[in-house]
Amino acid sequence: MFEIWETSEPARLISDAGTLKVALEKVDTMCRLRHDQAAAHVGDARDGYHFEIRDAEGKALARLSYVPDTSRAYQSVVIEEMRGDPDE
């Protein structure tokens, strides 16, 4: 079990996931949402957004800082190598 946290102040639990692959996809979805919000001038993205994927014991396994770049279309923050085996 993995937890996805947005660690910008105040920190908040966003979701959980059964696999790391699903957790990465959920972080990517949150970044896409933040990009869309920034493009629509909703919220304040000046300092960017910070996410963590934590294991069942609460230990951070991955951290990501994301600052939306609205001068271009959203590009996934999850690279293919992070997604693992495509047959999973």
Side-chain angles (χ1 to χ4, degrees):
M1 178 66 83
F2 299 92
E3 295 179 336
I4 298 98
W5 286 78
E6 184 169 356
T7 57
S8 308
E9 291 298 322
R12 65 186 179 102
L13 176 65
I14 294 177
S15 185
D16 57 19
T19 67
L20 184 56
K21 184 176 181 177
V22 170
L24 289 168
E25 292 302 323
K26 287 184 177 188
V27 168
D28 192 49
T29 298
M30 287 303 302
C31 290
R32 179 183 303 274
L33 173 65
R34 297 300 188 234
H35 180 272
D36 292 347
Q37 288 173 332
H41 305 290
V42 175
D44 183 13
R46 200 177 22 214
D47 297 326
Y49 301 95
H50 308 282
F51 300 96
E52 282 186 359
I53 296 175
R54 299 178 184 174
D55 65 12
E57 288 80 39
K59 179 181 173 190
L61 301 175
R63 291 186 177 97
L64 173 78
S65 293
Y66 175 70
V67 177
D69 178 0
T70 58
S71 68
R72 60 184 169 88
Y74 178 76
Q75 292 179 313
S76 177
V77 297
V78 180
I79 59 173
E80 271 318 300
E81 290 80 5
M82 293 172 68
R83 295 181 198 275
D85 184 2
D87 297 328
E88 285 183 14

